[in-house]
Amino acid sequence: AVIKTTMLTKFESKSARVKGLAFHPVRPWICASLHNGVIQLWDYRVGTVIDRFEEHDGPVRGVDFHLHEPLIVTGGDDYKIKVWDYKLRRCLFTLLGHLDYIRTVQFHPNATQFPWILSASDDQTLRLWDFQKRSCLSVLTGHNHYVMCASFHPSEDLIVSASLDQTVRVWDTAGLRKKQLGGPGLDEGYPGMMDGNGNRGGT
Protein backbone atom coordinates (compact mmCIF):
# COMPACT_ATOMS: atom_id res chain seq x y z
CA ALA A 1 0.00 0.00 0.00
CA VAL A 2 1.20 3.49 -0.79
CA ILE A 3 1.36 5.79 2.22
CA LYS A 4 0.58 9.38 1.33
CA THR A 5 2.49 12.15 3.03
CA THR A 6 1.70 15.84 3.12
CA MET A 7 4.25 18.60 2.70
CA LEU A 8 3.73 20.87 5.70
CA THR A 9 5.71 23.82 4.44
CA LYS A 10 8.10 24.85 1.74
CA PHE A 11 10.81 27.44 2.10
CA GLU A 12 13.35 28.51 -0.48
CA SER A 13 16.88 29.74 -0.22
CA LYS A 14 17.40 31.79 -3.33
CA SER A 15 21.11 32.40 -2.88
CA ALA A 16 22.45 28.87 -3.31
CA ARG A 17 21.83 25.17 -3.31
CA VAL A 18 21.29 23.41 0.01
CA LYS A 19 23.99 20.81 0.72
CA GLY A 20 23.18 19.70 4.28
CA LEU A 21 20.25 19.64 6.71
CA ALA A 22 19.66 18.91 10.39
CA PHE A 23 16.65 19.09 12.72
CA HIS A 24 17.04 20.68 16.14
CA PRO A 25 16.31 17.95 18.73
CA VAL A 26 13.66 20.02 20.56
CA ARG A 27 12.93 23.34 18.93
CA PRO A 28 11.07 23.70 15.59
CA TRP A 29 14.28 24.56 13.79
CA ILE A 30 16.15 23.30 10.77
CA CYS A 31 19.75 24.14 10.06
CA ALA A 32 20.60 24.32 6.36
CA SER A 33 24.14 24.50 5.02
CA LEU A 34 24.49 26.04 1.59
CA HIS A 35 26.72 25.83 -1.46
CA ASN A 36 27.77 29.45 -1.00
CA GLY A 37 29.17 28.78 2.49
CA VAL A 38 26.26 30.23 4.46
CA ILE A 39 24.59 28.34 7.31
CA GLN A 40 20.95 29.26 7.82
CA LEU A 41 18.78 28.60 10.86
CA TRP A 42 15.11 28.25 9.92
CA ASP A 43 11.95 28.14 12.00
CA TYR A 44 9.90 25.65 9.98
CA ARG A 45 6.63 26.59 11.66
CA VAL A 46 6.66 30.00 10.05
CA GLY A 47 9.10 29.31 7.23
CA THR A 48 11.54 32.11 8.00
CA VAL A 49 15.27 32.40 8.56
CA ILE A 50 15.93 33.34 12.17
CA ASP A 51 19.73 33.48 11.95
CA ARG A 52 22.65 32.93 9.59
CA PHE A 53 26.34 32.22 10.03
CA GLU A 54 29.07 33.02 7.52
CA GLU A 55 32.68 31.96 7.95
CA HIS A 56 33.22 28.99 5.65
CA ASP A 57 34.95 29.56 2.33
CA GLY A 58 32.97 27.49 -0.17
CA PRO A 59 30.21 24.88 0.07
CA VAL A 60 29.21 23.48 3.47
CA ARG A 61 28.06 19.86 3.10
CA GLY A 62 27.83 18.64 6.71
CA VAL A 63 25.80 20.05 9.62
CA ASP A 64 24.52 18.72 12.95
CA PHE A 65 22.98 19.99 16.20
CA HIS A 66 24.24 19.02 19.65
CA LEU A 67 21.46 17.24 21.56
CA HIS A 68 21.73 19.28 24.75
CA GLU A 69 24.03 22.27 24.30
CA PRO A 70 23.40 25.28 22.00
CA LEU A 71 25.98 24.03 19.50
CA ILE A 72 26.08 23.41 15.77
CA VAL A 73 28.92 21.65 13.95
CA THR A 74 29.59 22.20 10.24
CA GLY A 75 32.07 20.80 7.74
CA GLY A 76 32.96 22.34 4.42
CA ASP A 77 34.91 22.25 1.19
CA ASP A 78 37.48 24.53 2.86
CA TYR A 79 38.66 21.41 4.79
CA LYS A 80 37.44 23.05 8.03
CA ILE A 81 35.14 21.87 10.79
CA LYS A 82 33.54 24.71 12.73
CA VAL A 83 31.65 24.59 16.02
CA TRP A 84 29.13 27.37 16.52
CA ASP A 85 27.20 28.60 19.55
CA TYR A 86 23.81 29.70 18.24
CA LYS A 87 22.98 31.53 21.47
CA LEU A 88 26.17 33.59 21.27
CA ARG A 89 25.68 33.74 17.49
CA ARG A 90 29.29 33.08 16.63
CA CYS A 91 31.87 30.44 15.73
CA LEU A 92 33.65 29.16 18.85
CA PHE A 93 36.55 27.39 17.13
CA THR A 94 37.76 25.61 14.01
CA LEU A 95 39.15 22.07 13.80
CA LEU A 96 41.86 21.52 11.18
CA GLY A 97 43.30 18.26 9.91
CA HIS A 98 41.37 17.02 6.89
CA LEU A 99 43.11 17.41 3.54
CA ASP A 100 40.06 17.53 1.26
CA TYR A 101 36.33 18.28 1.23
CA ILE A 102 34.40 17.30 4.35
CA ARG A 103 31.20 15.43 3.49
CA THR A 104 29.45 14.85 6.83
CA VAL A 105 29.87 15.80 10.49
CA GLN A 106 28.03 14.47 13.53
CA PHE A 107 28.06 14.92 17.29
CA HIS A 108 28.23 11.74 19.35
CA PRO A 109 24.69 10.73 20.49
CA ASN A 110 25.93 10.85 24.09
CA ALA A 111 28.03 13.98 23.60
CA THR A 112 27.67 14.98 27.25
CA GLN A 113 29.78 11.98 28.30
CA PHE A 114 31.72 11.65 25.06
CA PRO A 115 32.37 15.11 23.57
CA TRP A 116 33.15 13.69 20.16
CA ILE A 117 32.59 14.84 16.61
CA LEU A 118 32.77 12.41 13.70
CA SER A 119 33.75 13.67 10.25
CA ALA A 120 34.02 12.02 6.84
CA SER A 121 36.14 13.43 4.04
CA ASP A 122 37.25 13.12 0.45
CA ASP A 123 40.78 12.61 1.85
CA GLN A 124 39.64 8.98 2.31
CA THR A 125 39.61 9.17 6.11
CA LEU A 126 37.22 9.53 9.00
CA ARG A 127 38.28 11.56 12.00
CA LEU A 128 37.12 11.57 15.59
CA TRP A 129 37.53 14.85 17.43
CA ASP A 130 37.24 15.87 21.08
CA PHE A 131 35.43 19.19 20.82
CA GLN A 132 36.10 20.07 24.46
CA LYS A 133 39.86 19.67 24.04
CA ARG A 134 39.60 20.90 20.43
CA SER A 135 41.85 18.10 19.23
CA CYS A 136 41.79 15.03 16.97
CA LEU A 137 41.37 11.77 18.86
CA SER A 138 41.79 9.33 16.01
CA VAL A 139 42.14 9.04 12.24
CA LEU A 140 40.32 6.05 10.76
CA THR A 141 41.99 4.84 7.56
CA GLY A 142 41.06 1.97 5.28
CA HIS A 143 38.86 3.44 2.56
CA ASN A 144 40.61 4.05 -0.74
CA HIS A 145 38.22 6.62 -2.21
CA TYR A 146 36.13 9.55 -0.99
CA VAL A 147 34.26 8.82 2.26
CA MET A 148 30.80 10.13 1.44
CA CYS A 149 29.10 9.73 4.82
CA ALA A 150 29.56 8.35 8.31
CA SER A 151 27.43 7.97 11.41
CA PHE A 152 27.62 6.93 15.04
CA HIS A 153 25.50 4.03 16.23
CA PRO A 154 22.86 5.49 18.60
CA SER A 155 23.89 3.28 21.55
CA GLU A 156 26.75 0.90 20.66
CA ASP A 157 30.49 1.57 20.26
CA LEU A 158 30.23 1.54 16.50
CA ILE A 159 30.63 3.84 13.52
CA VAL A 160 29.45 3.10 10.00
CA SER A 161 30.94 4.71 6.90
CA ALA A 162 30.31 4.54 3.16
CA SER A 163 32.75 5.37 0.39
CA LEU A 164 33.03 5.63 -3.37
CA ASP A 165 35.34 2.61 -3.07
CA GLN A 166 32.02 0.68 -3.01
CA THR A 167 32.40 -0.48 0.58
CA VAL A 168 30.45 0.13 3.76
CA ARG A 169 32.64 -0.28 6.81
CA VAL A 170 31.73 -0.72 10.46
CA TRP A 171 34.30 0.51 12.98
CA ASP A 172 34.63 -0.54 16.63
CA THR A 173 35.28 2.41 18.97
CA ALA A 174 35.16 0.48 22.26
CA GLY A 175 38.90 0.92 22.80
CA LEU A 176 38.63 4.64 22.34
CA ARG A 177 35.72 4.83 24.77
CA LYS A 178 37.67 2.88 27.40
CA LYS A 179 40.66 5.12 26.89
CA GLN A 180 38.44 8.19 27.27
CA LEU A 181 37.08 6.83 30.55
CA GLY A 182 40.57 6.08 31.85
CA GLY A 183 40.52 2.31 31.37
CA PRO A 184 42.79 0.12 29.25
CA GLY A 185 42.22 0.50 25.53
CA LEU A 186 43.04 -1.84 22.69
CA ASP A 187 46.74 -1.65 21.86
CA GLU A 188 46.35 -2.62 18.24
CA GLY A 189 43.69 -2.15 15.66
CA TYR A 190 41.55 0.35 17.51
CA PRO A 191 39.31 2.08 16.56
CA GLY A 192 39.36 -1.14 14.56
CA MET A 193 37.12 -2.34 11.79
CA MET A 194 34.68 -5.19 11.52
CA ASP A 195 34.04 -6.66 8.10
CA GLY A 196 30.70 -7.83 6.75
CA ASN A 197 31.08 -11.12 8.61
CA GLY A 198 31.55 -9.45 11.96
CA ASN A 199 35.27 -10.21 12.10
CA ARG A 200 37.47 -7.54 13.60
CA GLY A 201 40.41 -6.39 11.58
CA GLY A 202 42.97 -3.67 11.90
CA THR A 203 42.54 -0.24 10.32
Side-chain angles (χ1 to χ4, degrees):
V2 177
I3 300 174
K4 293 185 178 180
T5 58
T6 303
M7 183 174 68
L8 297 177
T9 184
K10 178 183 179 182
F11 34 87
E12 298 179 0
S13 177
K14 298 179 181 178
S15 60
R17 302 190 299 277
V18 178
K19 308 297 286 187
L21 288 169
F23 271 116
H24 190 279
V26 178
R27 300 183 182 183
W29 293 354
I30 290 171
C31 195
S33 58
L34 308 184
H35 190 268
N36 65 1
V38 176
I39 296 109
Q40 294 180 335
L41 197 57
W42 291 81
D43 185 323
Y44 59 77
R45 293 174 306 180
V46 292
T48 58
V49 176
I50 56 177
D51 214 339
R52 54 189 285 136
F53 307 97
E54 299 183 54
E55 272 195 30
H56 279 286
D57 181 18
V60 183
R61 301 174 187 274
V63 61
D64 193 30
F65 280 105
H66 192 286
L67 281 176
H68 305 294
E69 298 179 32
L71 301 177
I72 296 169
V73 60
T74 57
D77 285 10
D78 55 6
Y79 313 171
K80 295 176 181 178
I81 296 168
K82 291 182 177 289
V83 175
W84 311 77
D85 187 313
Y86 57 74
K87 284 188 176 179
L88 299 177
R89 304 180 66 190
R90 65 181 178 89
C91 178
L92 298 178
F93 55 89
T94 301
L95 299 170
L96 300 174
H98 278 300
L99 304 175
D100 208 333
Y101 296 172
I102 297 166
R103 295 285 178 170
T104 58
V105 288
Q106 184 189 13
F107 284 111
H108 192 279
N110 185 10
T112 302
Q113 185 175 14
F114 300 103
W116 298 352
I117 290 169
L118 172 65
S119 57
S121 171
D122 283 7
D123 66 10
Q124 306 181 18
T125 71
L126 305 133
R127 283 178 181 255
L128 277 169
W129 311 81
D130 185 319
F131 64 81
Q132 288 183 347
K133 296 179 180 177
R134 305 182 185 185
S135 62
C136 183
L137 289 171
S138 185
V139 181
L140 283 66
T141 61
H143 284 295
N144 56 35
H145 210 312
Y146 303 160
V147 186
M148 301 302 290
C149 59
S151 181
F152 286 110
H153 190 284
S155 58
E156 301 292 334
D157 294 324
L158 299 172
I159 288 169
V160 65
S161 61
S163 167
L164 289 188
D165 64 11
Q166 301 182 37
T167 67
V168 171
R169 296 179 181 233
V170 176
W171 310 78
D172 181 357
T173 58
L176 195 62
R177 175 181 56 81
K178 291 172 185 176
K179 185 178 179 182
Q180 184 90 354
L181 296 174
L186 299 175
D187 292 330
E188 296 182 2
Y190 98 87
M193 188 187 78
M194 295 194 302
D195 63 21
N197 298 318
N199 301 311
R200 179 180 292 160
T203 57

